[in-house]
Amino acid sequence: MSDMTTIVEIRKAELHDVRVTYTEKVPLFDGQARLAVDSFGLTANNITYAVYGDRMSYWSFFPAPSGDDYGVVPVWGFATIVETTMDAMEEGERIYGYFPMGEELVVEPQRITPGSFIDGTAHRADLPVTYNNYVRCAGDPLYEADNEDAQMLLQPLFFTSFLIDDFLADADFFGATQVVATSASSKTGFGTAHLLHQREGITVIGLTSASNREFVEGLGCYDSVVTYDDIDSLPPGPSVSIDFAGNQQVILAIHEHYGDDLKHSSVIGGTHWDADRPESAPMPGPKREFFFAPARAQVRIKDWGIAELQMRLAAAWTRFL
């Protein structure tokens, strides 16, 4: 085993500035395990992690070796236990979860069950448990080796989709009858649309670029698709906006189009993170609210218990696939 490991760092003030850093591997202490990262997915969700890294503490999960000016973007993927000091964890075991964009992660497994464990590393103690939970694939009834690519690309995003759909339905859609989704081609976007499309009395409208329109229409989960340059054609009526793009000009246009008919405006992602941003100005309609999936997950864990939440998510995930 090499004495060095690599990790990808991004300068927080300039997300285009990316570099690979080499560091020495740390020896394990009692109660730790070393996971070699085998594969991970890259989606627009990872851009959101970087854009909101400070605001939502995404940079805090895996501190960058080079200090506070740099961050490590979290990724969802699969790893193998290559070294362990714990009898409860075996070398060679397959693990799914939240990893740094790098070669390895040292964890301190706690609350160990046949199907999962929590990383109890001290600096992660106050971070959302949703991201600190790791799945032991051998004990996961839904795990299929042939579906690893789909799982790491889609499942984390679908969990967010599931929580958005649940949140809106629980709020009776704030009195709206239609939902307008920006970045409709994004995985979280069409996962949410898939779920919303099954809700009676709710029309789902996708906003996308002209180049993606045919793809979005082909998904079959939007009742209609509108391009960004045609926002004025959005159908009237009480509406909710769910924003996966983070493009201020697009959101301003939606708010101006609907005015008081816009009943709720959720900020979810930042796929258009490098778009021109006009100076902040008051928008017609409701104040925009940031949707933080782990907070919603905690609500449902309290309401249902984690086992019930996982069961409902698994059922929805199976139907989605």
Side-chain angles (χ1 to χ4, degrees):
M1 181 183 296
S2 170
D3 292 332
M4 302 296 291
T5 186
T6 60
I7 197 164
V8 178
E9 298 181 320
I10 294 179
R11 189 156 61 90
K12 295 177 182 179
E14 176 48 74
L15 299 184
H16 291 103
D17 187 350
V18 181
R19 68 185 189 183
V20 176
T21 299
Y22 298 84
T23 61
E24 290 187 7
K25 290 185 177 180
V26 296
L28 297 188
F29 295 100
D30 288 344
Q32 292 184 322
R34 190 186 311 276
L35 279 56
V37 179
D38 298 310
S39 57
F40 56 78
L42 285 177
T43 71
N45 192 44
N46 301 101
I47 296 174
T48 298
Y49 290 156
V51 172
Y52 296 106
D54 285 320
R55 179 177 177 182
M56 307 310 297
S57 299
Y58 291 123
W59 294 132
S60 300
F61 284 92
F62 311 111
S66 299
D68 290 342
D69 289 341
Y70 286 84
V72 176
V73 176
V75 292
W76 292 91
F78 288 89
T80 302
I81 297 178
V82 293
E83 186 181 0
T84 178
T85 62
M86 307 177 66
D87 292 338
M89 310 295 292
E90 296 184 2
E91 291 185 11
E93 189 174 344
R94 197 74 167 152
I95 304 295
Y96 169 74
Y98 206 54
F99 296 103
M101 195 181 293
E103 286 188 306
E104 69 169 36
L105 175 66
V106 173
V107 294
E108 296 181 15
Q110 298 178 1
R111 290 188 252 171
I112 301 170
T113 72
S116 67
F117 65 85
I118 298 293
D119 181 12
T121 302
H123 77 269
R124 297 179 68 168
D126 295 328
L127 296 171
V129 69
T130 305
Y131 297 123
N132 291 339
N133 185 69
Y134 289 82
V135 176
R136 305 175 74 181
C137 297
D140 178 9
L142 294 179
Y143 172 75
E144 294 183 17
D146 291 342
N147 282 343
E148 280 193 359
D149 288 351
Q151 182 173 342
M152 64 188 180
L153 283 171
L154 295 175
Q155 193 177 73
L157 308 178
F158 187 76
F159 188 25
T160 299
S161 298
F162 175 88
L163 294 168
I164 296 166
D165 170 73
D166 173 69
F167 166 72
L168 292 177
D170 194 39
D172 198 22
F173 293 90
F174 299 90
T177 56
Q178 58 187 22
V179 177
V180 178
T182 67
S183 196
S185 64
S186 67
K187 297 174 183 64
T188 314
F190 68 70
T192 306
H194 162 80
L195 295 166
L196 292 172
H197 196 64
Q198 301 170 49
R199 300 282 183 182
E200 289 188 12
I202 296 297
T203 299
V204 188
I205 304 164
L207 269 176
T208 191
S209 63
S211 61
N212 280 336
R213 180 169 190 161
E214 184 177 354
F215 168 75
V216 174
E217 289 175 335
L219 292 170
C221 53
Y222 293 98
D223 293 292
S224 63
V225 178
V226 175
T227 57
Y228 292 122
D229 58 3
D230 199 22
I231 286 176
D232 287 344
S233 73
L234 285 167
S239 304
V240 164
S241 167
I242 50 176
D243 177 30
F244 301 99
N247 187 319
Q248 300 299 309
Q249 293 175 326
V250 169
I251 290 303
L252 178 60
I254 293 171
H255 275 246
E256 289 180 338
H257 179 73
Y258 283 109
D260 291 340
D261 261 351
L262 192 63
K263 303 304 181 183
H264 180 77
S265 182
S266 271
V267 182
I268 298 163
T271 61
H272 296 189
W273 66 275
D274 55 353
D276 291 336
R277 296 177 182 270
E279 291 186 12
S280 180
M283 293 185 183
K287 181 180 179 180
R288 302 179 71 202
E289 295 184 15
F290 195 91
F291 179 85
F292 189 44
R296 183 62 189 177
Q298 285 302 118
V299 169
R300 284 315 196 191
I301 289 171
K302 182 178 179 180
D303 292 342
W304 300 336
I306 192 166
E308 176 69 15
L309 173 60
Q310 290 174 334
M311 184 179 71
R312 294 190 187 203
L313 174 63
W317 170 248
T318 300
R319 291 192 297 270
F320 179 65
L321 286 182

